[in-house]
Amino acid sequence: MNIALFSDTFPPEVNGVATSVWTLYNVLKKNGHNVYVVTTNPYSKKLIREEDVIRIPGIKLKKLYGYIFARIYSRKTLKFLKDHDIDVIHINCDFSIGQFGWISQRMLKKPSVYTYHTMYEDYTYYATRGKIDRFAKWVVRDYFINLSYRSNELIVPSYKCKDYARRIGINSYINVIPTGINLDMFLNFKLKQEDKENFLKKYNIPLDSKIVLFLGRLASEKNVRELLGNFKAFIESKGDSKSYFVIVGDGPQRYELEDYAKKINISDRVRFIGKVSYENCPFYYSLADVFINASVSETQGLTYLEAMASKTIVLVKFDINLVELIKEGENGYLYQDKNEFIEKLWKILNFDTTYYSEVVNNSLKVIDKWGEEEFYRKVMLVYQKAIREFW
């Protein structure tokens, strides 16, 4: 099958959508399909082609976390897709490259699949800065409704997204397909003691410390500020002197968070590592004793899966999309307020080796259905349905 994937973001960018499209691209190719990715160009202002990846230049919007707004039409790219006789167009984004995807679908007269990856109502403040935000959310909602009816098949990554779609009035069939991840990358990683010690020395962390990790984008919807406040309360409540909070990632809120850590007097126990490549993420997960997250804007929570595959216990804020993934006390922990966070973090950090291993092993059993092969099987069924419907 010849498949075109349209996405506003793709590696080397590090985010959930880029990871999802990258995984889909690789698993489709591994199973013998011809796959072409149309995405933005973060390198230059030229249209370039890197093997099967076509990058369209655009304008970088710094206030929108470096989002690249590309041209919505490329004659050369459209000709390339026509020459390669695309069977199905899969649109994984909603704005510039997404619009080009819909134009391509119409002009090439091909079936389309649309994946709704992001709960944009949680992100409107980037554009509105709090002004007319209610109106902006209505616009985003209406926009999603219109896009969903353009496609032959609609995919969402979780039942949380499906429930949202139903609430705003979408009544077409919705395929719920969790994004697959390359679990082997995390399952097979072996943390070398020498590398761990070098990292701890570099960041002036005692060798016998407990590492509490957040890995992700540093933006307000990720709620890292709450984690900093909770970590301070944990230190004070339990008289803890061995735990260090390692924050991996970058984003528009980084400097604000660094200032906040200083303001609440815990900067000596917090380390901001900055942006790292996706290939290096297994190191940081494996380094940690516990992974924490307070975001309730996730459509799925890929970092939770990555942490669990890395054999690290997760402690994350309750959200409806986590019900299938995390079974309280069996394969991870959920919290709803500061007191729960404190007590559960203390419990995890003081587990004996046997019980820690038991929770980790339960995690590994649960995440099997998020493997990339299961992801591939379900997506192919949707492609086949879209083709049947279109013709």
Side-chain angles (χ1 to χ4, degrees):
M1 191 179 288
N2 298 326
I3 303 159
L5 305 178
F6 285 74
S7 177
D8 285 330
T9 180
F10 194 71
E13 294 173 280
V14 180
N15 57 63
V17 178
T19 299
S20 176
V21 179
W22 170 252
T23 300
L24 180 57
Y25 167 77
N26 281 291
V27 76
L28 287 170
K29 287 189 68 77
K30 187 167 74 174
N31 282 276
H33 301 281
N34 299 311
V35 192
Y36 309 99
V37 177
V38 181
T39 188
T40 54
N41 184 359
Y43 309 112
S44 69
K45 294 183 179 180
K46 295 181 179 179
L47 186 146
I48 60 174
R49 182 183 163 202
E50 306 164 330
E51 297 182 354
D52 299 328
V53 180
I54 301 169
R55 294 187 177 274
I56 299 175
I59 301 170
K60 182 173 283 191
L61 305 178
K62 292 182 179 179
K63 291 186 177 180
L64 293 179
Y65 191 55
Y67 171 79
I68 298 173
F69 192 87
R71 300 197 303 263
I72 64 170
Y73 181 77
S74 167
R75 181 178 56 82
K76 288 183 178 179
T77 304
L78 191 65
K79 184 178 184 305
F80 175 88
L81 297 177
K82 184 177 181 180
D83 291 344
H84 286 75
D85 193 24
I86 298 301
D87 294 301
V88 63
I89 288 174
H90 187 170
I91 299 168
N92 290 270
C93 55
D94 306 279
F95 302 110
S96 57
I97 296 295
Q99 289 306 308
F100 182 39
W102 296 115
I103 291 170
S104 300
Q105 183 264 338
R106 187 169 64 251
M107 295 187 72
L108 296 176
K109 296 182 175 61
K110 299 294 181 180
S112 63
V113 173
Y114 167 53
T115 295
Y116 182 71
H117 285 281
T118 307
M119 301 285 282
Y120 285 108
E121 285 195 45
D122 294 326
Y123 295 79
T124 54
Y125 60 84
Y126 282 119
T128 66
R129 300 300 171 186
K131 300 176 182 177
I132 64 166
D133 198 54
R134 190 172 177 180
F135 174 73
K137 290 182 186 299
W138 176 82
V139 170
V140 165
R141 195 177 304 141
D142 192 58
Y143 185 65
F144 172 38
I145 293 171
N146 289 330
L147 291 184
S148 69
Y149 287 126
R150 285 193 200 179
S151 62
N152 295 106
E153 286 291 328
L154 171 64
I155 296 174
V156 298
S158 67
Y159 284 97
K160 174 183 177 179
C161 288
K162 181 178 180 179
D163 290 344
Y164 167 74
R166 292 290 185 239
R167 284 201 313 272
I168 66 174
I170 295 173
N171 52 27
S172 56
Y173 187 81
I174 300 173
N175 300 279
V176 179
I177 305 179
T179 296
I181 62 173
N182 182 358
L183 297 176
D184 291 343
M185 175 180 172
F186 301 93
L187 289 167
N188 298 332
F189 181 81
K190 303 296 183 185
L191 179 65
K192 296 178 181 177
Q193 186 63 26
E194 181 183 359
D195 292 339
K196 178 179 179 178
E197 290 178 2
N198 288 339
F199 172 85
L200 295 175
K201 288 176 183 176
K202 178 180 177 180
Y203 288 97
N204 194 28
I205 300 174
L207 296 181
D208 62 345
S209 298
K210 297 285 188 177
I211 302 299
V212 178
L213 174 74
F214 170 85
L215 188 152
R217 186 171 68 254
L218 303 186
S220 58
E221 73 275 0
K222 299 300 182 182
N223 220 4
V224 182
R225 186 183 176 100
E226 176 181 306
L227 294 177
L228 286 167
N230 286 352
F231 185 68
K232 173 184 170 64
F234 167 76
I235 291 171
E236 293 177 346
S237 172
K238 299 299 183 182
D240 178 88
S241 60
K242 286 195 171 185
S243 301
Y244 281 74
F245 188 9
V246 174
I247 298 175
V248 177
D250 206 347
Q253 208 184 20
R254 176 172 177 176
Y255 298 114
E256 178 187 329
L257 292 170
E258 289 179 343
D259 288 342
Y260 183 66
K262 292 176 183 175
K263 182 179 178 181
I264 62 176
N265 298 316
I266 59 166
S267 56
D268 61 322
R269 302 281 291 277
V270 180
R271 301 291 184 269
F272 287 86
I273 308 304
K275 186 177 181 179
V276 301
S277 68
Y278 185 64
E279 291 75 16
N280 288 331
C281 288
F283 169 81
Y284 293 96
Y285 288 123
S286 299
L287 178 78
D289 294 282
V290 58
F291 171 83
I292 62 174
N293 198 306
S295 173
V296 290
S297 67
E298 308 297 315
T299 55
Q300 183 178 341
L302 292 181
T303 54
Y304 306 170
L305 289 164
E306 292 168 354
M308 293 166 79
S310 300
K311 305 174 183 66
T312 299
I313 293 180
V314 299
L315 170 61
V316 297
K317 192 166 188 175
F318 176 83
D319 192 15
I320 192 65
N321 68 318
L322 300 176
V323 171
E324 275 194 281
L325 177 62
I326 298 174
K327 306 301 180 185
E328 177 68 27
E330 292 183 25
N331 67 341
Y333 290 84
L334 301 167
Y335 79 92
Q336 297 195 64
D337 57 36
K338 186 182 293 184
N339 289 333
E340 267 196 296
F341 176 91
I342 291 169
E343 295 307 319
K344 290 181 179 181
L345 180 58
W346 179 253
K347 182 178 182 179
I348 295 167
L349 293 179
N350 287 280
F351 277 159
D352 60 40
T353 306
T354 301
Y355 191 73
Y356 191 97
S357 297
E358 184 179 325
V359 175
V360 165
N361 288 334
N362 289 336
S363 297
L364 298 179
K365 293 174 186 176
V366 169
I367 63 176
D368 278 347
K369 65 179 177 180
W370 279 271
E372 60 180 17
E373 285 302 325
E374 180 68 4
F375 179 44
Y376 166 74
R377 185 187 68 80
K378 291 180 178 179
V379 169
M380 284 306 300
L381 289 175
V382 173
Y383 287 171
Q384 290 159 7
K385 283 168 59 182
I387 291 170
R388 286 198 304 269
E389 289 168 17
F390 185 80
W391 296 111

